[in-house]
Amino acid sequence: MKKALIIFVSFLFFAQPALADDITEVDVFLKGKLDHVMKILQDKSLEKKERNDKIIEVIDGAFDFSTMAKLTLGKKYWPGMTGADRDRFTKLFVERLKASYLEKLDLYDNEKIIYRKPVQVKKKVRMMTELVSGDNKITMLYKLYKLKKAGWRVYDLELEGVSLITTYRSQFNEVLQNGTMNDLFAKLERPEGL
Amino acid sequence: MNGFDLVDITLPKNDRYNLLLLIAILLLMVSCAGAKKPILFDPMQPSPAIPLPVAQSQDIGLEDEFDDFSDEFEPLPDQKVYDPFSGYNRSMTSFNDKVFDWIIDPVSRGYNFIVPKGGRVAINRFFKNLFFPIRFVNNVLQLKYDKAVIETLRFTMNTTVGLLGFFDPAESWLNLEAYPEDFGQTLGFYGFGSGPHIVLPFLGPSNLRDFVGLVPDIYATPLTYIPDTGLAFGVESYRRLNIASLQLEEYKSLRRDALDLYTFLRDAYERNRTAKIKE
């Protein structure tokens, strides 16, 4: 009996690393975050402002916004920027990204998310999800990487095969090819169509 | 506003032969354009590596951090994107955007008020089922026989059990999904480059390859065979209005994401098409 127990316990112990591999970690992490967001969305007792604040709180712990900001300017622009410009850009970009994300959630509330099994790509992990909206399915591919301290974070999102980072990159590159960093700030502050 | 769907143009019989000639010429142009490969835009082709100015960065860890992602995001190009029609495209984008604000949006909202969402979704399903030949033909042309079979099963089941396609029992009961393919994707499948980007009036973003691809698809569209041209045009306009009515807010939200509406829609369209062709 005792032997069996030892074997059982040691089995649990050794099984741990295999269970807690990258794929499982991401699966648990992202599902947890997205389910939480869905739960907030479905709570109709919340005021919109309150609801948005709660959602932002959840996604702040899931997205690596500052790395996303860096990636959209890339090696071409980021290293040459002053610290103040970097901070200003990051602030404007992150605000915009969050606003856009909340707006997208408004389009698809009450819907269901289908989760696919995450896939490992080198050190990073991608997880395909499908947002079911009536007869439509919107594919959303979350791309995550692991930070040493904080753990897994989303650094890019592909909507129907179109990467958010790549889209912003070419938009910003286009502005910066024809103008200055201040032009970009002005555009970020006064988005077209608002 | 929706470039992902197909145009339907109904033609008198004798014009069809001229049209075929036009397709042949356009196809030749596309293949020539493909041979020279002047297109910087094609996301399938990695853009040429451009030596980047080495910055005096105090942030030592920064280079490493970018290197973690360098295999994923290509260096930003210094050249302008190959876009010979950008002037025309820009004006057409603003034109389409105005058409959206002044016509499509108000008309759709009136329509939404009359027809509840469930009804509009069912009407959308009906047209989707009717457009089965396009998906079938292009799946076959791309040698995706399993998907062509699934499409046929779907069409048979949805037309009968699904009451002319207003319902989709194939998906809801048997989990058989549709596999949308069009002739633009078929051309892409056989290696045709996208060619220059072209914004079509009312229909939105397209490119030379997809524009050429519209023509064979028109022949595979049942609406083309409605004898009365006016009626066919009316039905097609109605189909598009119904689609738009389901996507109004999506377009508005997308539009707010853009720093520059034209380049934003252009890039999103091209990347989405490339991703679809790879599927």
Side-chain angles (χ1 to χ4, degrees):
Chain A
M1 186 59 206
K2 202 180 167 192
K3 202 176 168 188
L5 193 73
I6 290 168
I7 291 171
F8 179 64
V9 170
S10 58
F11 179 75
L12 276 184
F13 185 76
F14 286 114
Q16 206 66 26
L19 276 174
D21 59 5
D22 291 353
I23 292 195
T24 319
E25 273 178 34
V26 168
D27 197 56
V28 171
F29 173 76
L30 197 63
K31 263 187 201 162
K33 296 289 182 191
L34 296 180
D35 281 344
H36 195 171
V37 170
M38 292 301 268
K39 221 169 146 186
I40 298 168
L41 278 174
Q42 279 152 10
D43 183 354
K44 296 295 171 206
S45 70
L46 296 170
E47 294 277 319
K48 196 166 176 179
K49 168 87 174 61
E50 200 186 347
R51 187 205 73 174
N52 284 355
D53 289 346
K54 283 194 173 209
I55 291 172
I56 291 297
E57 211 182 297
V58 177
I59 62 166
D60 264 335
F63 285 72
D64 184 354
F65 287 115
S66 50
T67 297
M68 291 171 93
K70 249 183 236 177
L71 287 173
T72 55
L73 290 183
K75 264 187 183 174
K76 187 172 169 186
Y77 300 109
W78 188 265
M81 285 164 76
T82 65
D85 274 359
R86 285 180 188 176
D87 290 346
R88 188 166 173 207
F89 172 77
T90 305
K91 189 170 169 285
L92 286 170
F93 172 72
V94 172
E95 267 170 21
R96 205 186 160 88
L97 203 59
K98 285 178 179 173
S100 161
Y101 185 77
L102 288 171
E103 203 177 82
K104 297 286 179 301
L105 287 178
D106 273 334
L107 291 179
Y108 311 117
D109 68 355
N110 292 323
E111 318 282 350
K112 190 176 74 173
I113 304 180
I114 300 172
Y115 299 100
R116 305 262 175 241
K117 201 179 177 333
V119 182
Q120 185 124 24
V121 184
K122 289 179 190 163
K123 281 181 168 174
K124 300 176 197 124
V125 174
R126 297 175 172 200
M127 184 162 173
M128 181 61 99
T129 66
E130 282 169 71
L131 214 61
V132 184
S133 161
D135 267 20
N136 269 334
K137 268 188 194 154
I138 299 120
T139 66
M140 281 181 145
L141 179 72
Y142 288 86
K143 300 195 229 168
L144 297 96
Y145 79 123
K146 198 174 188 175
L147 288 159
K148 281 196 187 77
K149 281 179 195 159
W152 292 97
R153 286 292 181 274
V154 177
Y155 66 90
D156 190 15
L157 185 61
E158 278 184 16
L159 260 127
E160 292 289 320
V162 181
S163 143
L164 203 76
I165 297 293
T166 311
T167 305
Y168 278 116
R169 273 165 75 89
S170 28
Q171 290 266 293
F172 296 162
N173 190 38
E174 191 121 343
V175 174
L176 291 173
Q177 269 179 341
N178 303 313
T180 64
M181 204 47 85
N182 282 327
D183 294 331
L184 182 59
F185 291 151
K187 287 226 172 203
L188 281 170
E189 274 161 356
R190 248 179 303 124
E192 205 171 281
L194 270 182
Chain B
M1 278 312 102
N2 190 316
F4 302 87
D5 285 86
L6 299 159
V7 214
D8 181 50
I9 305 162
T10 329
L11 296 158
K13 262 247 146 59
N14 7 343
D15 280 356
R16 290 191 178 163
Y17 299 103
N18 296 336
L19 209 89
L20 281 175
L21 192 70
L22 187 73
I23 306 168
I25 294 166
L26 284 173
L27 270 176
L28 204 68
M29 279 166 64
V30 179
S31 56
C32 290
K36 274 186 277 165
K37 292 201 190 305
I39 301 147
L40 290 171
F41 194 67
D42 197 345
M44 298 286 278
Q45 310 283 334
S47 44
I50 296 136
L52 294 155
V54 183
Q56 315 90 333
S57 169
Q58 283 119 11
D59 196 343
I60 305 298
L62 190 70
E63 293 295 310
D64 295 333
E65 190 161 12
F66 278 121
D67 286 342
D68 278 351
F69 295 97
S70 56
D71 53 341
E72 246 185 277
F73 304 108
E74 290 152 11
L76 289 162
D78 283 327
Q79 302 100 318
K80 299 263 160 80
V81 167
Y82 172 73
D83 189 356
F85 304 132
S86 62
Y88 155 81
N89 284 341
R90 257 180 205 287
S91 359
M92 196 45 81
T93 302
S94 332
F95 171 77
N96 284 340
D97 197 46
K98 298 241 158 32
V99 169
F100 178 84
D101 281 337
W102 295 345
I103 304 168
I104 296 172
D105 190 36
V107 173
S108 300
R109 273 189 287 159
Y111 174 63
N112 289 0
F113 184 72
I114 304 164
V115 185
K117 193 178 175 193
R120 285 179 280 130
V121 168
I123 290 163
N124 199 33
R125 280 192 289 239
F126 166 78
F127 281 116
K128 187 176 161 190
N129 188 55
L130 202 63
F131 278 53
F132 149 79
I134 295 182
R135 296 190 296 271
F136 176 78
V137 167
N138 287 298
N139 271 307
V140 170
L141 289 175
Q142 293 174 43
L143 319 175
K144 295 170 180 167
Y145 299 120
D146 48 339
K147 291 178 177 171
V149 169
I150 291 175
E151 279 291 343
T152 312
L153 283 172
R154 277 179 54 80
F155 180 71
T156 317
M157 185 165 183
N158 288 348
T159 308
T160 52
V161 185
L163 308 174
L164 296 177
F166 283 105
F167 298 92
D168 190 351
E171 176 154 8
S172 38
W173 297 349
L174 303 179
N175 242 336
L176 295 176
E177 285 176 34
Y179 291 100
E181 294 286 349
D182 56 54
F183 202 75
Q185 290 179 57
T186 299
L187 290 174
F189 177 82
Y190 286 104
F192 285 92
S194 58
H197 189 75
I198 304 167
V199 179
L200 303 174
F202 302 104
L203 303 175
S206 187
N207 55 43
L208 186 56
R209 180 197 61 218
D210 295 340
F211 181 56
V212 170
L214 289 177
V215 182
D217 284 336
I218 288 167
Y219 285 96
T221 306
L223 298 187
T224 310
Y225 300 96
I226 298 177
D228 182 342
T229 310
L231 180 66
F233 186 76
V235 173
E236 173 62 12
S237 306
Y238 173 68
R239 185 181 77 89
R240 293 194 159 270
L241 170 73
N242 193 66
I243 292 174
S245 77
L246 293 164
Q247 297 176 340
L248 289 182
E249 297 308 317
E250 278 175 51
Y251 177 71
K252 286 183 204 166
S253 166
L254 209 62
R255 185 163 69 174
R256 275 192 286 272
D257 285 342
L259 288 192
D260 175 61
L261 185 62
Y262 166 59
T263 54
F264 179 84
L265 292 178
R266 179 193 67 195
D267 293 1
Y269 177 80
E270 297 293 344
R271 293 208 175 94
N272 176 278
R273 290 294 290 178
T274 306
K276 280 188 175 161
I277 288 165
K278 269 198 236 164
E279 264 171 17

